[in-house]
Amino acid sequence: MINLVLFGPPGAGKGTQSEKIIEKYHLTHISTGDLFRKNIKEGTSLGKSAQEYMDLGNLVPDEIVIGMVDEKIRSTPDANGFLFDGFPRTVAQAEALDNLLYFKDNPIDTMIALNVDEDELKKRLLNRGLTSGRSDDQDEEKIANRIAVYHRETSPVADYYNKQMKFNQVVGVGSIDDIFLSISKIIDAYV
Ligand code: B4P
């Protein structure tokens, strides 16, 4: 069983690479962004709480995110391991995740950060906004806010894992297959 965190700024390719990782390593995918978007689509109260934050490019409050991840982990007791995509995004979330996994006796094995420069991130998100229908991808100001929130609130999570000797990074620019190859080389050390 392996538990991985895929980390990076908005638009770094976490969702894109997650699809390939779960297929190859048979992990259960937990994308907090996808879970929120599903709840918004279904009109649940969780979705309504999350939408106002997401529309502005802000983080959803920790207690909402952590409760949702806790429920998702509990609902898949037979998982072969988890790939956490876009979570944790704050140090408080990282600490909560360590606590949740402590009770399952299966800690995070490693985290992999995707490095992508800011101009490329903006280009990718605006490009996705042309077809995704995501309001947070369609407005340059919201995208700039998401990147600023990443630097302010999310980047300290990298230090959190670095202190646990679990931090790895790969270049997130180039072909999707080449990036996946770099990621696979890291994961293969744990399987
Ligand atoms: P997320 O859904 O996590 O997504 P993301 O940051 O927008 O993007 P990701 O990195 O997954 O990019 P993707 O692969 O799709 O978050 C959305 C919002 O939800 C947050 O802003 C926040 O409000 C909320 N939220 C989620 N989790 C939270 C948490 N834990 N705490 C609080 N709030 C939370 O790639 C982007 C684009 O790039 C795609 O169009 C893709 O095709 C393209 N691309 C990918 N790889 C490429 C490559 N190698 N070359 C060229 N293009 C590439």
Side-chain angles (χ1 to χ4, degrees):
M1 173 157 187
I2 47 168
N3 288 320
L4 305 173
V5 170
L6 191 61
F7 185 81
K14 302 182 294 288
T16 305
Q17 295 296 332
S18 287
E19 283 178 28
K20 298 177 82 69
I21 297 169
I22 55 169
E23 192 191 343
K24 179 168 178 187
Y25 296 98
H26 310 292
L27 301 177
T28 296
H29 185 204
I30 299 190
S31 158
T32 40
D34 286 353
L35 288 171
F36 285 133
R37 283 185 287 277
K38 181 169 179 282
N39 275 278
I40 290 170
K41 208 168 157 197
E42 291 169 356
T44 67
S45 58
L46 179 79
K48 283 178 189 138
S49 312
Q51 186 156 26
E52 56 181 302
Y53 299 97
M54 292 175 75
D55 280 347
L56 295 173
N58 290 325
L59 294 184
V60 179
D62 287 338
E63 59 275 16
I64 299 178
V65 187
I66 293 163
M68 181 177 74
V69 172
D70 185 16
E71 199 183 307
K72 180 74 186 171
I73 292 174
R74 284 176 202 276
S75 71
T76 37
D78 299 327
N80 185 36
F82 293 100
L83 174 65
F84 296 96
D85 160 10
F87 176 87
R89 258 176 158 96
T90 63
V91 171
Q93 292 180 18
E95 288 168 349
L97 180 60
D98 275 350
N99 285 332
L100 295 177
L101 296 175
Y102 177 79
F103 290 108
K104 288 180 72 74
D105 218 10
N106 284 110
I108 291 296
D109 291 288
T110 198
M111 78 94 93
I112 302 168
L114 291 165
N115 270 343
V116 178
D117 62 85
E118 215 161 298
D119 286 348
E120 174 73 12
L121 295 174
K122 288 179 181 161
K123 201 171 78 187
R124 286 184 189 179
L125 293 173
L126 283 170
N127 194 34
R128 183 172 65 186
L130 297 174
T131 53
S132 68
R134 280 177 57 171
S135 61
D136 60 344
D137 283 347
Q138 289 168 353
D139 177 316
E140 290 200 39
E141 240 176 72
K142 287 180 189 172
I143 290 174
N145 183 46
R146 289 165 68 190
I147 294 173
V149 166
Y150 167 80
H151 287 302
R152 192 172 63 238
E153 300 180 47
T154 304
S155 60
V157 173
D159 288 335
Y160 179 86
Y161 285 104
N162 200 17
K163 282 185 190 140
Q164 298 186 9
M165 316 277 278
K166 293 178 179 174
F167 175 76
N168 300 276
Q169 51 186 334
V170 299
V171 175
V173 181
S175 87
I176 289 168
D177 285 341
D178 284 347
I179 297 166
F180 180 59
L181 199 63
S182 308
I183 292 174
S184 293
K185 281 184 187 156
I186 295 169
I187 300 175
D188 287 343
Y190 295 89
V191 293

